[in-house]
Amino acid sequence: MVDLDSKSRPIGLIVGREAEILAEWLQEHPGIDVLSRDCSASYRSGMNQGAPDAIQVADRFHLLQNLAEVLQQALGAYPQALKAVDAAQRLTIASSTQEEVVVLPPPIALPPKVQQLAHQRRVERVSTYETVKDLHQQGWSSSVIAQEVGVSTRTVQRYLHTARFSERQERSDRGKSLLNPYKPYLLEQYNEGRRQVKTLFGDIQKQGYTGSDMTVARYIRQLAQAQGVELKRYPTQRRLPKVVDPQRPALTARRAAFLVLRQLETLGTDEQQMIEGMVKQPELATAIELAQRFICLVRQRQPEQLDIWLQQAKASHLAPMVRFAQSLQEDYNAVTAGVTLSTNNGPVEGQINRLKMLKRQMYGRAGIDLLSRRFLLAG
């Protein structure tokens, strides 16, 4: 607990996140007029019980942080649309060069048997999803449905919260490789005529590369493919254009969500073009437009626009946005106060970082009593 009116001084350290513990502390410290918090239901309940007359303020940073998570879920349901935007952006970069060739990531060619197995499993998941929906409409409970179809209760609840079947999202580490730090060197050597995989592999091993030579071979073949030639039959009689490989991360749902949330003046030209490309995708446009309106509402302090935004989000039929709007509606007064008042949780987050540092210093040597003394008395 931090006193935001007294140089952000910490005044309490509560053990636990339960609403009852917070309510008890507030009852022991009457007279608080304004309470700033994140969007936790437990904190809301504890404040309602312990200080029912105080104004609760939903912190703006946490509102936007929650929006980022919601937007990531909404965009993650359409991985093919994100791939299309990413590929189009790479082609745009390629067309802007004159005599150079931009390396595009090749599609992952899975063996036919693997593709067939993946298709069968997707069909099974779709069938399970439809069965869950049907049984729910018949009045079955989530736990009974889970036993009937052979999935967890959490999976059943996730299916029930989505208006349409969600495809599996891409791996979070897509586009990352041990080779990435060494690609500029390999690219420079390739363009200068050194294309022997074993020699290049040995060079980057001396520089600290710990991956395999097969990874290096695949990358060198990819460079040759970008020039439209085969590495084994590389032409020596004619001059081919240089290859460039822009080291930019893949457009995942997470990256797309944080691009949308960033301030416009901090975006580069290619990042702005990616956002424009996403808005042109029908599957992504609604979620991005809703997110941009909410960001404007929060940053420009426009509480009068909140009701309109809530109606638009609920009517969007995007399950993550609908749930987000419902949660904001349940916390309506605090959200309105957060958009209106200047109070925020910034000083609290700073004290949390300080508290974590003290905990690491005292790990295994003392308990909560000493931690409280160090944290509160030195604050």
Side-chain angles (χ1 to χ4, degrees), residues 195 233-240:
R195 305 181 183 91
R233 301 177 181 177
Y234 196 89
T236 58
Q237 303 300 324
R238 60 189 178 97
R239 180 178 177 274
L240 294 176

Side-chain angles (χ1 to χ4, degrees), residues 49-195:
Q49 298 175 41
D53 297 328
I55 298 174
Q56 296 184 33
V57 180
D59 180 58
R60 291 183 294 279
F61 168 79
H62 287 93
L63 287 174
L64 295 182
Q65 186 180 53
N66 293 343
L67 174 67
E69 297 172 357
V70 169
L71 183 58
Q72 181 179 343
Q73 295 173 10
L75 300 180
Y78 303 97
Q80 297 303 324
L82 291 174
K83 286 183 180 179
V85 175
D86 198 13
Q89 182 64 15
R90 290 178 183 271
L91 288 173
T92 301
I93 297 175
S95 62
S96 65
T97 61
Q98 296 179 355
E99 295 182 356
E100 297 181 332
V101 178
V102 174
V103 176
L104 302 180
I108 301 175
L110 298 175
K113 290 184 178 179
V114 176
Q115 294 182 13
Q116 183 179 2
L117 180 60
H119 176 71
Q120 292 176 353
R121 289 178 176 174
R122 181 187 179 280
V123 171
E124 292 174 359
R125 291 197 301 273
V126 172
S127 177
T128 301
Y129 173 83
E130 294 174 348
T131 302
V132 167
K133 289 285 191 178
D134 293 339
L135 294 178
H136 178 69
Q137 291 180 354
Q138 297 175 24
W140 291 38
S141 66
S142 297
S143 57
V144 177
I145 295 175
Q147 294 177 359
E148 177 68 20
V149 301
V151 298
S152 67
T153 304
R154 186 175 180 179
T155 299
V156 171
Q157 293 173 347
R158 186 175 75 250
Y159 283 171
L160 295 178
H161 285 154
T162 56
R164 58 183 295 277
F165 177 75
S166 298
E167 300 291 347
R168 287 190 168 178
Q169 297 188 17
E170 296 285 349
R171 288 178 49 164
S172 59
D173 61 348
R174 185 167 70 92
K176 298 180 180 179
S177 170
L178 293 174
L179 192 63
N180 284 350
Y182 308 96
K183 285 183 178 180
Y185 173 80
L186 294 176
L187 189 61
E188 179 183 1
Q189 296 300 310
Y190 180 90
N191 284 325
E192 291 180 357
R194 296 185 65 213
R195 305 181 183 91

